[in-house]
Amino acid sequence: MPLLTIPNVSEGRDAAIVTELSDALCSAGARVLDVHVDPVHNRTVLTATGAPRELVDGTAALARAAVTAIDLRIHEGAHPRVGALDVCPIVPHDEPIEAAVDVARAAGDAMVEAAGVPVYFYDFAADPPKRLPEIRAGGLDRLISRAAEGFVPDLGPRAIDPRVGVVCVGARRALIAFNVYVSASQDRARALARTVRERDGGLPGVRAIGIELEEGLAQVSMNLVDPDRTGIEETFAAVANGAKEAGVDVLATELVGLVPERYLPSPDARAARLLIEPGRSVESLLG
């Protein structure tokens, strides 16, 4: 089966720019399977597949288009970010992780050449090991300071331009981006996130933040980085239980992008019944 790339770009409001970015990704022959646009987050998640060379050249073209079109100095959106092309993982689908590592490292080199943007590697692509939260801790301003203090990019310029930031290029296994909408303040949403995320004693392999979308409406935004250990239904149940204890209503759920079929929730599960849009599997679009 082919490799996937799932770039996250810091634009979700200008449809023309989103189209330009998607076209750049597929300019070398990669096939875009899904485009998830979120204007509140001001972020778009693309999912594409292709041969190694197509993914390397396509992500390099995407990096060049992103740093041309996006200025982080004036960017506004609910989702944290450290780059115009914020995150660019390579994900194997029924292939060894080593195949993704090779493509991620080649893509990082190609991005520097095409766009002149600093690159940090994460997860299996990083040597020495780095996790994505370690790079992104404190946001772009803090990363600029940390780079000056010695936490320099793995490739490209050592100094980080605040207009375009950096690209975090990774090789990783399947990850599920799963959001739960709640009628709550940001403080309540952040408290719910703390109850479920692994680093605060919550569920294994769950990363979570609380984001206020508007007054009285917030989102517990989660990445399930080890879905074989903690899946969608278990994670939803933990958020829903915490919300009930706090007197908060759970309004809806959301899957960002595509999910391997084996990880989709049962159609009868509450997590599935509350989905804003039905979940779609990777397999359904690879054929």
Side-chain angles (χ1 to χ4, degrees):
M1 299 288 275
L3 294 167
L4 303 173
T5 186
I6 310 174
N8 291 219
V9 294
S10 297
E11 177 57 63
R13 297 176 181 171
D14 190 316
I17 293 177
V18 171
T19 297
E20 178 185 341
L21 298 173
S22 179
D23 289 347
L25 180 58
C26 63
S27 62
R31 180 163 61 101
V32 174
L33 303 174
D34 185 71
V35 181
H36 182 98
V37 181
D38 190 325
V40 176
H41 282 202
N42 201 3
R43 189 175 185 85
T44 296
V45 178
L46 302 160
T47 304
T49 187
R53 189 75 254 164
E54 293 170 342
L55 296 185
V56 170
D57 292 345
T59 54
L62 173 60
R64 183 170 58 246
V67 302
T68 301
I70 298 169
D71 186 341
L72 293 180
R73 296 171 301 182
I74 58 173
H75 182 279
E76 294 180 349
H79 200 288
R81 86 292 304 179
V82 294
L85 171 52
D86 190 39
V87 183
C88 189
I90 307 297
V91 182
H93 190 77
D94 296 336
E95 289 196 16
I97 192 66
E98 290 78 13
V101 171
D102 291 343
V103 171
R105 289 190 161 273
D109 286 329
M111 289 177 193
V112 172
E113 183 176 349
V117 64
V119 168
Y120 284 93
F121 289 120
Y122 70 93
D123 285 2
F124 290 95
D127 185 16
K130 288 191 295 293
R131 299 172 65 198
L132 186 58
E134 176 187 350
I135 301 168
R136 302 175 65 169
L140 179 57
D141 289 343
R142 179 61 186 135
L143 183 57
I144 291 171
S145 299
R146 291 164 66 208
E149 295 163 359
F151 186 63
V152 296
D154 294 299
L155 299 175
R158 294 171 67 91
I160 299 171
D161 183 347
R163 184 182 70 84
V164 299
V166 307
V167 184
C168 300
V169 180
R172 62 162 175 78
R173 305 194 193 279
L175 172 154
I176 300 170
F178 178 55
N179 302 325
V180 178
Y181 291 80
V182 292
S183 59
S185 65
Q186 179 158 296
D187 287 345
R188 282 285 180 88
R190 286 175 172 172
L192 284 172
R194 286 193 295 271
T195 67
V196 297
R197 67 183 172 218
E198 181 177 28
R199 80 177 191 210
D200 290 321
L203 300 172
V206 175
R207 299 172 184 168
I209 57 175
I211 301 173
E212 185 175 50
L213 305 179
E214 59 185 58
E215 186 174 356
L217 177 64
Q219 183 186 87
V220 182
S221 178
M222 295 168 285
N223 284 336
L224 315 187
V225 301
D226 191 354
D228 286 312
R229 295 180 67 194
T230 307
I232 292 169
E233 293 182 40
E234 182 181 355
T235 304
F236 174 79
V239 174
N241 288 339
K244 183 177 180 180
E245 291 176 2
V248 168
D249 291 329
V250 173
L251 305 175
T253 59
E254 180 179 37
L255 289 169
V256 179
L258 306 177
V259 177
E261 188 170 8
R262 64 189 181 276
Y263 298 130
L264 285 172
S266 165
D268 296 328
R270 189 178 175 213
R273 289 187 281 108
L274 287 176
L275 281 170
I276 296 171
E277 296 182 356
R280 295 191 297 163
S281 72
V282 176
E283 292 83 353
S284 69
L285 293 173
L286 278 177

